[in-house]
Amino acid sequence: MVTVNYKNQGTCSVLTTVTLADDHTIQEIAVKGGCNGNLKGVSSLLVGMDAADAIRRMKGTTCGPRSTSCPDQIAQALQETLDLQKRS
């Protein structure tokens, strides 16, 4: 199991904490800042999902005129965690 704290960029949320099981299944996601209810809902939906599947679904999502979004930042955090886990 591996946990990463990812500093979000370009969004109202400031930090995403991701925990992955050894089989790359999302165990927990917590997002600090941003739209609290929405991010709790998104995080809850992702628990139990394969990290690569979640990344494919959320990567590149934008918010208004921004080139990123909270879901995109979650995808970035998941990718960083997955990459770290694969190197270990």
Side-chain angles (χ1 to χ4, degrees), residues 14-85:
V14 294
L15 183 73
T16 299
T17 303
V18 173
T19 302
L20 294 182
D22 293 338
D23 66 355
H24 312 299
T25 302
I26 299 167
Q27 296 297 298
E28 184 176 4
I29 294 180
V31 182
K32 183 177 179 182
C35 301
N36 189 26
N38 289 336
L39 291 169
K40 282 181 184 175
V42 168
S43 297
S44 177
L45 290 169
L46 294 172
V47 171
M49 184 181 285
D50 180 76
D53 290 339
I55 292 164
R56 277 191 291 278
R57 291 177 183 213
M58 296 185 300
K59 188 176 181 180
T61 302
T62 60
C63 182
R66 297 180 178 137
S67 61
T68 190
S69 66
C70 291
D72 181 60
Q73 291 297 296
I74 292 171
Q76 300 297 327
L78 284 166
Q79 187 66 63
E80 183 173 300
T81 308
L82 193 57
D83 291 346
L84 176 66
Q85 190 175 48

